[in-house]
Amino acid sequence: MMEEETSMRPCQKNDPVYAPAHYAGDGKIECKSAIGSMMAGYDLAAVCSSVAYWCGCAFKYLWRWPLKNKSEDLMKARECIDIALSLVRE
């Protein structure tokens, strides 16, 4: 979702759909904004869209792991990274 779209939407802190607490970060940079910035760099590097997708998923799980599913999210991040690596090695 584009940043300007989310800024137009009225939402409260810990809104389970638009601003879940496990993605809030320090309150200055949310996960959505950080992933958006990261993906812009992937565009500049001409990274394959499927590799970028899996890296973005891994980032999401790494961001939220201590606040949501603990070690399960770390394992999900590792799986996403493994998939991205398999695509890069092809």
Side-chain angles (χ1 to χ4, degrees), residues 42-86:
Y42 283 31
D43 287 344
L44 294 173
V47 172
C48 172
S49 61
S50 57
V51 173
Y53 169 80
W54 289 110
C55 290
C57 286
F59 184 90
K60 172 187 77 168
Y61 290 124
L62 290 170
W63 184 285
R64 75 182 198 187
W65 80 266
L67 300 173
K68 192 163 185 202
N69 296 321
K70 311 290 189 236
S71 62
E72 181 181 312
D73 277 349
L74 290 174
M75 290 185 286
K76 289 177 181 179
R78 182 171 52 194
E79 179 187 21
C80 293
I81 292 168
D82 287 342
I83 293 168
L85 280 169
S86 74

Side-chain angles (χ1 to χ4, degrees), residues 10-57:
C11 60
Q12 300 174 8
K13 283 188 172 187
N14 197 23
D15 179 311
V17 174
Y18 300 109
H22 54 273
Y23 289 127
D26 62 4
K28 297 176 187 173
I29 300 171
E30 289 188 346
C31 187
K32 293 178 209 175
S33 298
I35 287 178
S37 179
M38 181 177 82
M39 290 296 129
Y42 283 31
D43 287 344
L44 294 173
V47 172
C48 172
S49 61
S50 57
V51 173
Y53 169 80
W54 289 110
C55 290
C57 286

